[in-house]
Amino acid sequence: MSDTQAILAHMSLEEKAALCTGASNWTTTSLPRLNIPQVLVADGPHGIRRIPDGHAAAHQSLPATCFPTASCLAATWDPDLLYEMGQALAEEAIALGVDVILGPGVNIKRSPLCGRNFEYFSEDPYLAGEMAAGLIDGIQSKGVGTALKHFVANNQEFERFSISAEVDERAMREIYLPAFEKAVTKAKPWTVMCAYNKVNGTYASEHRRLLTDILKNEWGFAGLVLSDWGAVHDRVAALKAGLDLEMPGPKQTRVNALIAAVRDGILDEAVLDSSVRRIVEVVGRAAQTPKGGDFDVASHHALARMVAAEGMVLLKNNGLLPLKNPQRIAVIGRAAQEPHFQGGGSSHINPTQVDVPFAELQKLAGKATLYFAAGYREDDCFQQDLIDEATAAARSADVALLYVALPAFKESEGYDRADLDLAAHQVALIQAVTAVQSSTVVILNNGAPITMHDWIDGTAAVLEAWMMGQAGGGAIADILFGKTNPSGKLAETFPIKLADTPAYLHFPGENGEVRYSESLFVGYRYYDAKGAPTQFPFGHGLSYTTFAYANARASAAVFRDVDGVTVSVDVTNTGAVAGKEVVQVYVHDHEARLLRPFKELKGFAKVELQPGQTKPWPSPSTSALLPSTTPLISAGSQKAASLTF
Ligand code: GLC
């Protein structure tokens, strides 16, 4: 008999029911009689939010490294880097006594308006799944668990506790489930967190087809399913559906409900045992990793800086960047002194330290003189005198660096944005500065796409710095001065205007429902199908060098009845500085029997090349095997699907 079976055999009904309900905001129930310790959980996903024992969730958490948020992480296109970041997160979790990190979030970015998009990876399920798997693997390699969230179709904040996401089967299978499936099957997270919302009329916490039929039976998920905080409405129905652990606790009424349901024959005790078994297994795993000690603050800060630089995306550059030793630099925008590096809500971290962008610039600017102008003081008020001051500074400088952060009131967990725009005073500031200074760089701190059509033509360069984490100020300086060659690529489309977006007519829903009427056509899938222009497309990102592709080839000319297809290409750095390129492989089905997006991402890798160097991708040690499950071509047709790089 296994240890778990032995423990179960000695457990009373009351103890089983207690184990399936949290003991506090952040702990599961311990059963000392049976030597079952508590498990302590903490957010995530991009830092450890360890609330000191006994304090409410709103209390200041213990200091931890605030890494860049998921929208930046995805833009690195580097799962190995996320593995390394995951290991650092785990080291901090261990030091702070945390057994399970509540993240990553892999919800698909259906609309750029979603308030939590900064916490999610991408509009593309393949990229989101690969990045999540890298982070989960890194964290769990150190014996700390993760909670893949929010399962599923939690793609907005509006009425998130009750709204029903109405999703057709193909969109569910091809857009909203695949990132979870990839992360579950590839990285085996210890836990999966169910979403608050309903899916096609049933709460995710009570959705048997999702939690048991698909997650546990079809994908073989062996961990435990926990609820989002307060997502359980009917504890017995949830347990029957496969919701193993309700959080938070304590909730004695829920424990009593489970006991009564078994006693009244409403709930088969074997179903309860199944959840208990899963919980005991996770508790056992957590107990194997001793907690305590400390973590290397400096090296984690340095890693956060490197990750931020790898995820930042150079959207536009007329050649001004990297800066060529300017002597008079106007540094404009409050965000240069008060960096906006993370979002609001459950993911908010108390950073160990914070790089001030202005100070980091100063360190790399040599003999240059830096002139600071705030441009605006408050998040939502127009101050012409400050705009005039900034304009004067820009006019007399060699170059103007404009730090523009989306105001905190616009983007957070708990609510969605009403528009994609910067604040009016921010647009006015950019327009005023670029009108007098043609060498202006706009540096953006935002978690999700913003509109730029009102001001981008006047800029020389635009750097998307995202919610860059505590070391982002240094990362920006590294890129502006060329210490780091930017290599980030967009993991989500930047539309020209909100009305162009796929979900525009069906967001955020009404009468308790939000209809995913765009179905499969999310993100680039939609813009491709419409032939619609974008401000910047998925996969876009500039470098300080150039790359050439040659000799693209596939291991099969017709993709039918093959167990995957290996594609390869030679990549050359044709520029003068070292750089990294992200090779992206898309599949186009020439003759699909069913409606299909024009192209779909099915492979990628980041390659580093010295000037003049050529590398075959994939390198001999890896392969870009297109998954054989990819329906590359409809049966019967002789035409091959094509690959685009
Ligand atoms: C929140 C979030 C979830 C978080 C949890 C615990 O409501 O939806 O992502 O992990 O509660 O803070």
Side-chain angles (χ1 to χ4, degrees):
M1 183 189 288
S2 73
D3 289 353
T4 304
Q5 290 297 81
I7 291 169
L8 204 62
H10 289 89
M11 220 182 252
S12 69
L13 174 58
E14 289 73 10
E15 287 167 329
K16 292 176 185 177
L19 204 61
C20 293
T21 308
S24 74
N25 253 344
W26 310 110
T27 58
T28 64
T29 299
S30 62
L31 296 173
R33 182 182 76 83
L34 294 167
N35 193 26
I36 295 177
Q38 73 176 29
V39 165
L40 190 141
V41 302
D43 289 305
H46 44 264
I48 308 302
R49 178 174 169 250
R50 172 77 161 87
I51 307 290
D53 294 339
H55 287 279
H59 190 81
Q60 179 78 297
S61 56
L62 299 177
T65 305
C66 181
F67 286 93
T69 74
S71 43
C72 182
L73 302 181
T76 69
W77 290 65
D78 189 344
D80 293 340
L81 182 59
L82 267 58
Y83 182 95
E84 188 180 348
M85 176 181 147
Q87 292 195 307
L89 282 172
E91 288 164 7
E92 300 196 20
I94 289 166
L96 297 172
V98 173
D99 298 303
V100 176
I101 299 173
L102 300 173
V106 285
N107 293 104
I108 292 300
K109 304 192 189 199
R110 175 177 178 252
S111 167
L113 289 173
C114 173
R116 288 185 85 172
N117 271 355
F118 69 91
E119 273 191 77
Y120 302 149
F121 289 105
S122 179
E123 68 192 32
D124 179 85
Y126 182 85
L127 180 59
E130 291 294 335
M131 303 311 281
L135 193 62
I136 292 166
D137 272 341
I139 294 170
Q140 297 188 164
S141 71
K142 295 268 183 178
V144 174
T146 57
L148 181 66
K149 66 188 185 181
H150 307 88
F151 191 64
V152 70
N154 177 191
N155 307 103
Q156 64 189 57
E157 291 300 284
F158 174 72
E159 296 185 352
R160 67 170 172 160
F161 301 112
S162 60
I163 202 157
S164 178
E166 299 295 309
V167 192
D168 68 84
E169 185 63 8
R170 277 195 68 197
M172 186 60 83
R173 287 288 186 172
E174 297 181 40
I175 301 295
Y176 297 101
L177 286 175
F180 286 95
E181 180 178 8
K182 173 64 67 64
V184 163
T185 54
K186 189 168 185 180
K188 297 178 173 45
W190 289 12
T191 80
V192 167
M193 182 190 292
C194 84
Y196 283 121
N197 51 279
K198 294 174 188 163
V199 181
N200 296 330
T202 301
Y203 279 113
S205 61
E206 299 172 16
H207 209 296
R208 180 172 180 81
R209 179 163 183 262
L210 289 173
L211 301 184
T212 296
D213 299 347
I214 293 176
L215 177 60
K216 294 178 178 178
N217 296 344
E218 193 177 313
W219 297 348
F221 175 62
L224 71 83
V225 177
L226 76 161
S227 70
D228 199 340
W229 269 229
V232 172
H233 301 269
D234 177 334
R235 185 65 188 106
V236 175
L239 196 101
K240 284 181 175 178
L243 192 286
D244 304 306
L245 172 65
E246 174 175 7
M247 290 301 285
K251 289 206 178 92
Q252 192 53 45
T253 53
R254 305 286 204 179
V255 177
N256 297 340
L258 292 179
I259 295 166
V262 171
R263 289 203 171 125
D264 296 345
I266 298 168
L267 174 66
D268 180 346
E269 189 162 359
V271 172
L272 180 59
D273 288 351
S274 169
S275 290
V276 170
R277 202 173 293 121
R278 289 172 181 267
I279 295 169
V280 168
E281 296 279 355
V282 170
V283 171
R285 258 189 260 176
Q288 289 170 20
T289 307
K291 301 296 181 304
D294 54 26
F295 62 90
D296 188 335
V297 172
S299 74
H300 288 189
H301 185 75
L303 177 62
R305 179 168 178 152
M306 190 259 278
V307 171
E310 288 286 308
M312 290 181 183
V313 182
L314 185 58
L315 295 174
K316 177 185 177 185
N317 185 24
N318 69 355
L320 179 64
L321 297 180
L323 295 175
K324 286 119 186 119
N325 198 24
Q327 289 313 297
R328 291 169 303 175
I329 303 174
V331 182
I332 299 166
R334 214 185 62 209
Q337 295 287 6
E338 301 165 35
H340 177 62
F341 58 91
Q342 62 176 327
S346 60
S347 69
H348 199 81
I349 303 301
N350 176 16
T352 56
Q353 63 188 88
V354 181
D355 283 356
V356 177
F358 185 90
E360 294 306 315
L361 272 176
Q362 191 84 63
K363 292 175 189 172
L364 300 185
K367 294 188 172 49
T369 305
L370 274 60
Y371 305 88
F372 175 70
Y376 53 91
R377 190 169 296 114
E378 301 309 321
D379 266 349
D380 55 359
C381 69
F382 207 109
Q383 291 152 288
Q384 191 57 50
D385 59 327
L386 293 181
I387 290 179
D388 295 344
E389 177 194 43
T391 306
R395 183 182 286 112
S396 58
D398 300 322
V399 62
L401 305 179
L402 245 173
Y403 288 75
V404 181
L406 197 61
F409 70 79
K410 279 211 165 208
E411 194 175 30
S412 167
E413 176 179 346
Y415 52 86
D416 302 314
R417 283 191 285 172
D419 56 57
L420 297 181
D421 305 328
L422 291 172
H425 63 275
Q426 291 177 315
V427 173
L429 174 65
I430 296 171
Q431 289 172 335
V433 166
T434 51
V436 301
Q437 178 51 262
S438 59
S439 297
T440 296
V441 183
V442 173
I443 298 109
L444 297 167
N445 285 131
N446 46 297
I450 56 161
T451 52
M452 306 179 184
H453 53 77
D454 281 341
W455 50 265
I456 191 166
D457 292 345
T459 63
V462 178
L463 177 66
E464 177 55 72
W466 306 111
M467 286 190 183
M468 57 192 177
Q470 65 181 50
I476 292 172
D478 290 341
I479 288 179
L480 293 179
F481 284 103
K483 281 189 68 179
T484 299
N485 183 354
S487 59
K489 305 289 180 187
L490 292 181
E492 57 196 300
T493 305
F494 274 48
I496 294 171
K497 60 185 188 299
L498 176 60
D500 295 344
T501 54
Y504 179 64
L505 295 176
H506 309 284
F507 186 96
E510 57 190 6
N511 294 334
E513 281 189 353
V514 54
R515 315 196 71 77
Y516 287 30
S517 300
E518 73 286 352
S519 185
L520 306 171
F521 297 94
V522 173
Y524 67 84
R525 289 170 167 82
Y526 174 81
Y527 299 102
D528 286 350
K530 297 267 286 189
T534 62
Q535 190 70 55
F536 295 108
F538 177 87
H540 169 76
L542 302 178
S543 170
Y544 293 152
T545 187
T546 51
F547 299 96
Y549 286 58
N551 196 16
R553 54 210 180 276
S555 58
V558 176
F559 301 168
R560 187 157 55 97
D561 305 329
V562 291
D563 185 18
V565 172
T566 297
V567 295
S568 49
V569 66
D570 295 339
V571 188
T572 301
N573 179 342
T574 50
V577 295
K580 295 178 181 176
E581 172 65 323
V582 177
V583 178
Q584 304 166 35
V585 181
Y586 296 84
V587 172
H588 163 67
D589 188 336
H590 283 283
E591 194 179 331
R593 181 172 57 82
L594 301 173
L595 187 63
R596 272 195 83 172
F598 175 75
K599 70 176 189 284
E600 297 166 273
L601 182 73
K602 293 298 177 187
F604 68 86
K606 199 166 199 177
V607 288
E608 183 165 15
L609 293 164
Q610 295 305 314
Q613 185 181 13
T614 298
K615 274 184 186 173
W617 177 81
S619 57
S621 61
T622 64
S623 82
L625 198 59
L626 292 187
S628 56
T629 52
T630 304
L632 296 173
I633 192 162
S634 57
S637 159
Q638 287 309 309
K639 285 183 184 165
S642 63
L643 303 164
T644 52
F645 294 97

